[in-house]
Amino acid sequence: MTDYTPLHLDWPGCLNVRDLGGLPLTGGGTIRERALVRSDSPSFLTDDGVAAATAFRLARIIDLRRPWENEEWPSLLADHPGYLSLPVQDPDDPEEGPWVHLYTGLLDRRPDLFARAVAALADAPEGPVLVHCVAGKDRTGLVVALALSIVGADVDALADDYELTNERLAPRYAELPEDREIPAGREIPPTRHVIIEALEHLRTRHGSIEAYLTHGGLTPGHVRALRARLVG
């Protein structure tokens, strides 16, 4: 655990919005404020929430949801000029097993899609970039962790931030029916070890997070732009 304190943003309707500014780097320094924001889906926003998100002056919105999710729960920020729909799954991709298997499966199948999402963060216009999926936990957690790892984020701080989502979304989960179908191995919300093990899987298989993303199409220019954008 670290002393990192997240910057929670009040966008009514969404429960899991935070600015990652202040997250420490391994060699000193921090992630820049108003550079990278993660959230649950803007489809949850109230009118006041849309106003708050708009007032934040987002430069780009990266929606990681699949097309059918966009159709069923349209983003209330989809008319933003910086909105991009960049799924990290193909429609027929499975979602197998326990949490770590889910994450490593997603990463192994679609390095090109994850690299595309990180590149969209790197080359966005000047200003805050929002990354989201539905809960802002799994797909968002992976893309954010990849981007933060590239710029040297402290692993413990990164994992602490990842685990905060469970706390933020607890009120919404408490309202779900008790008999809802839960995939095997996912009965307990994922803890910080899940994102740590997923990143370690990539380092073991590819040598580094940067090498994994390079395999997917990320360029050295993207890496430089990402560091310039995120490192305060």
Side-chain angles (χ1 to χ4, degrees), residues 149-165:
S149 295
I150 283 284
V151 302
D154 179 88
V155 174
D156 284 331
L158 183 158
D160 289 347
D161 171 73
Y162 166 82
E163 195 171 44
L164 277 172
T165 291

Side-chain angles (χ1 to χ4, degrees), residues 28 50 70 78 81-82 104 127 142 156 160 173 183 195 206 212 215 230:
V50 172
N70 288 325
T104 57
L142 288 170
D156 284 331
D160 289 347
Y173 290 151
I195 198 69
H206 297 275
Y212 164 76
H215 173 66
L230 297 184

Side-chain angles (χ1 to χ4, degrees), residues 68-224:
W68 70 265
E69 293 173 295
N70 288 325
E71 292 172 6
E72 190 162 350
W73 301 288
S75 170
L76 297 179
L77 301 179
D79 291 336
H80 188 286
Y83 174 86
L84 294 176
S85 175
L86 296 178
V88 290
Q89 297 164 282
D90 274 359
D92 296 329
D93 283 354
E95 293 189 359
E96 69 272 74
W99 291 110
V100 172
H101 292 170
L102 169 66
Y103 286 13
T104 57
L106 285 170
L107 292 164
D108 287 347
R109 274 188 296 273
R110 304 298 173 193
D112 55 328
L113 300 185
F114 280 97
R116 182 180 67 172
V118 174
L121 167 58
D123 65 15
E126 184 177 353
V129 175
L130 171 66
V131 179
H132 78 86
C133 51
V134 176
K137 173 173 62 73
D138 304 319
R139 291 166 288 186
T140 298
L142 288 170
V143 169
V144 166
L146 293 172
L148 292 175
S149 295
I150 283 284
V151 302
D154 179 88
V155 174
D156 284 331
L158 183 158
D160 289 347
D161 171 73
Y162 166 82
E163 195 171 44
L164 277 172
T165 291
N166 293 332
E167 176 184 333
R168 301 295 292 178
L169 294 181
R172 185 174 295 154
Y173 290 151
E175 296 177 354
L176 297 175
E178 292 184 4
D179 61 350
R180 70 188 187 280
E181 184 176 346
I182 301 175
R186 295 191 225 161
E187 298 85 357
I188 301 173
T191 54
R192 62 199 311 279
H193 83 277
V194 173
I195 198 69
I196 290 174
E197 290 186 30
L199 294 174
E200 187 57 34
H201 167 81
L202 294 183
R203 293 188 184 97
T204 299
R205 175 166 289 197
H206 297 275
S208 68
I209 305 301
E210 185 172 338
Y212 164 76
L213 291 169
T214 298
H215 173 66
L218 199 73
T219 68
H222 287 134
V223 174
R224 289 192 296 271

